[in-house]
Amino acid sequence: MQAPINKTIPKVIENEVLKALSFYPELRETRIDFVFKRNIKRSVMQAQPKIGTMFGTKRGYNINISALFRLTTSAIPIHQIPPDIMVGWIGHELGHVMDYENRDVIGMMRFGIGYLFSTKYIQQAERVADTYAVNHGLGSYIVKTKHFILNHASLSEKYKSKIARLYLSPDDIMEQVKKLEAAQLDARKKEDQE
């Protein structure tokens, strides 16, 4: 695995971040800072463009990560979540970065407004991020992360309900993985025939 360029990564999650980044070679030189936050409203992680870089040729991003994984009656440090779950979660956030990279400034402004005011827009954005992750080979990690959240006995039902409503389900992810694998198999068959 090549050393990351333009990345700031907390040591306690370095292995998981590097693993997730390895699925996104096109982000190798993109400026991304992985930042622990005390509290992120209604989220565990969120990818955001750095406002000061929005108008330049090289954008930078923060992936904010809640320092604590809040359960209904307690909290654990986020880095104590199983490694595959962290890889899936970070892989999803990197999917958002991929989406942002493909938007111009006006597109990013529309995205921000849509995300603030429209549940349908949030749903679409989260599905796009999951799709990027699946298409980059992270399908099994994304499925593990979804199962971890939806089946975690100590997570609030409100949070689980939000995830089920806004994000692709584990079954939807598996369907995407199957389609991707079938397309890859077809492409290999065509190559072999040529």
Side-chain angles (χ1 to χ4, degrees):
M1 191 181 313
Q2 292 182 322
I5 298 169
N6 296 325
K7 308 292 184 289
T8 305
I9 305 168
K11 198 77 180 147
V12 294
I13 59 168
E14 185 176 44
N15 290 339
E16 292 83 357
V17 169
L18 291 177
K19 178 117 185 192
L21 281 167
S22 73
F23 289 89
Y24 292 95
E26 55 271 78
L27 294 177
R28 184 166 183 267
E29 295 186 23
T30 304
R31 170 95 237 153
I32 305 174
D33 296 326
F34 296 84
V35 182
F36 280 131
K37 297 274 188 170
R38 263 169 130 41
N39 194 7
I40 302 173
K41 264 191 185 167
R42 301 180 304 274
S43 292
V44 174
M45 294 185 196
Q46 62 185 192
Q48 295 180 320
K50 293 181 180 204
I51 301 302
T53 67
M54 286 296 297
F55 300 98
T57 55
K58 294 268 186 194
R59 283 194 191 146
Y61 303 91
N62 281 345
I63 293 186
N64 299 322
I65 303 167
S66 180
L68 292 174
F69 183 61
R70 298 189 187 286
L71 304 170
T72 48
T73 58
S74 63
I76 60 171
I78 193 79
H79 65 273
Q80 290 181 5
I81 287 178
D84 283 358
I85 307 307
M86 282 294 287
V87 170
W89 228 316
I90 293 163
H92 170 85
E93 296 306 322
L94 291 171
H96 281 299
V97 172
M98 290 294 297
D99 183 25
Y100 301 159
E101 284 283 276
N102 291 310
R103 295 176 185 268
D104 61 15
V105 174
I106 301 296
M108 285 302 296
M109 288 184 201
R110 280 192 194 119
F111 179 91
I113 292 166
Y115 207 90
L116 282 175
F117 298 109
S118 168
T119 301
K120 273 201 175 310
Y121 200 91
I122 294 171
Q123 189 177 50
Q124 178 62 26
E126 297 305 342
R127 289 168 184 237
V128 165
D130 277 342
T131 300
Y132 269 111
V134 169
N135 289 342
H136 279 77
L138 283 153
S140 65
Y141 293 98
I142 299 294
V143 168
K144 285 179 188 177
T145 303
K146 305 283 184 199
H147 281 302
F148 177 81
I149 294 166
L150 296 173
N151 299 327
H152 201 294
S154 297
L155 272 174
S156 77
E157 288 305 316
K158 185 177 177 183
Y159 183 71
K160 289 182 198 181
S161 171
K162 173 187 149 186
I163 297 300
R165 188 177 73 253
L166 297 177
Y167 294 73
L168 290 173
S169 72
D171 289 344
D172 291 336
I173 298 286
M174 288 311 299
E175 191 59 38
Q176 281 192 348
V177 169
K178 285 178 191 166
K179 285 179 184 171
L180 181 65
E181 288 171 349
Q184 289 170 338
L185 186 62
D186 285 348
R188 279 196 296 274
K189 283 179 184 174
K190 282 181 185 169
E191 282 176 17
D192 291 345
Q193 289 171 355
E194 291 174 358

